[in-house]
């Protein structure tokens, strides 16, 4: 599904790029935008359940994930050398996400357990295609690009720590670790200028990011250590709202 979404964005963008005829006189190497705003981040919950490296644990078999959405900030810079083309570097900073395991069978009367939490940071580089003439107040655009997502501040919650010890899996406190991700990203956005000749614009954009990593729980046993792991597909939809200033 995620590959189809990104392919659709590329399909929409490619014909416009192929047929564009930009006069040399339209080139302006000094046109820059700076954006600042809020990001509403909605992660994907479709993640592989936790399991042993060698054997599946029955109580974790076919469990699912519930990842809380969060609100954070974003900042970006856009270089727009041509009326219909721009390059955007976008940073989305530090949304915190809480993790819950669903369809969990170990506790009678409950079907979930609080697992842990993590924080991300996301850097994106987009090539944007602007669909309207630059004299229009509204400037819709489509962008495709590359994303780097870092996962950090990843910890287990006390309820999960107690389960690992009480179930006999662990003999002490466990650690939760995640990595980083490189992937594709796509966006659909709109800049709305606050009057002809004005430098200020209102911006809104919807972004889809292909971001996945490994989630690993390392816990002590006697002797040594064991691990639970999961393929972690974060793949968030992000809504950006903010203001743009044109230099």
């Amino acid at each position: 599904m995620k590959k189809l979404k990104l392919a659709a964005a590329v399909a929409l963008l490619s014909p416009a790029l192929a047929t564009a005829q930009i006069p040399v006189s339209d080139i302006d190497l000094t046109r820059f935008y700076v954006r600042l705003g809020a990001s509403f981040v909605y992660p994907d919950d479709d993640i592989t359940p936790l399991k042993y490296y060698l054997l599946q644990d029955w109580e974790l078999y076919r469990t699912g994930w519930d990842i809380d959405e969060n609100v954070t900030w974003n900042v970006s810079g856009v270089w727009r050398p041509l009326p219909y083309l721009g390059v955007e570097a976008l940073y989305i900073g530090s949304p915190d996400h809480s993790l819950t395991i669903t369809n969990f069978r170990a506790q009678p009367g409950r079907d979930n357990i609080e697992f842990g939490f993590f924080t991300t940071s996301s850097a994106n580089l987009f090539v944007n295609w602007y669909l309207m003439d630059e004299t229009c107040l509204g400037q819709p655009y489509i962008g495709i690009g590359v994303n780097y997502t870092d996962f950090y501040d990843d910890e287990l919650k006390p309820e999960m720590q107690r389960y690992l010890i009480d179930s006999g899996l662990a003999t002490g406190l466990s650690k939760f670790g995640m990595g980083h991700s490189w992937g594709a990203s796509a966006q659909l956005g709109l800049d709305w200028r606050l009057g002809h000749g004005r430098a200020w614009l209102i911006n809104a954009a919807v972004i889809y990011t292909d971001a996945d990593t490994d989630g690993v729980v390392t816990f002590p046993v006697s002797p040594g250590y064991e691990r639970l792991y999961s393929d972690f597909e974060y793949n968030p939809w992000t809504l950006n709202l903010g203001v743009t200033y044109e230099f």
Side-chain angles (χ1 to χ4, degrees), residues 217-233:
V217 178
T218 303
F219 54 92
V221 296
S222 182
Y225 292 87
E226 290 284 355
R227 292 179 177 86
L228 301 169
Y229 74 99
S230 175
D231 299 324
F232 202 90
E233 297 182 3

Side-chain angles (χ1 to χ4, degrees), residues 12-24 26 82-86 128-131:
L12 287 171
L13 187 59
S14 298
L17 291 172
T19 58
Q21 300 293 329
I22 307 298
V24 175
D26 286 343
L82 296 171
Y84 299 103
L85 188 68
N128 295 332
W129 179 255
Y130 292 84
L131 305 178

Side-chain angles (χ1 to χ4, degrees), residues 200-220:
W200 288 97
L201 304 91
I202 301 296
N203 175 260
V206 177
I207 303 168
Y208 179 78
T209 302
D210 176 13
D212 55 80
T213 186
D214 294 324
V216 179
V217 178
T218 303
F219 54 92

Side-chain angles (χ1 to χ4, degrees), residues 24-32 78-83 247:
V24 175
S25 59
D26 286 343
I27 297 176
D28 183 356
L29 302 181
T30 64
R31 185 186 295 126
F32 291 92
V78 183
W79 178 44
R80 192 174 169 184
L82 296 171
F247 289 92

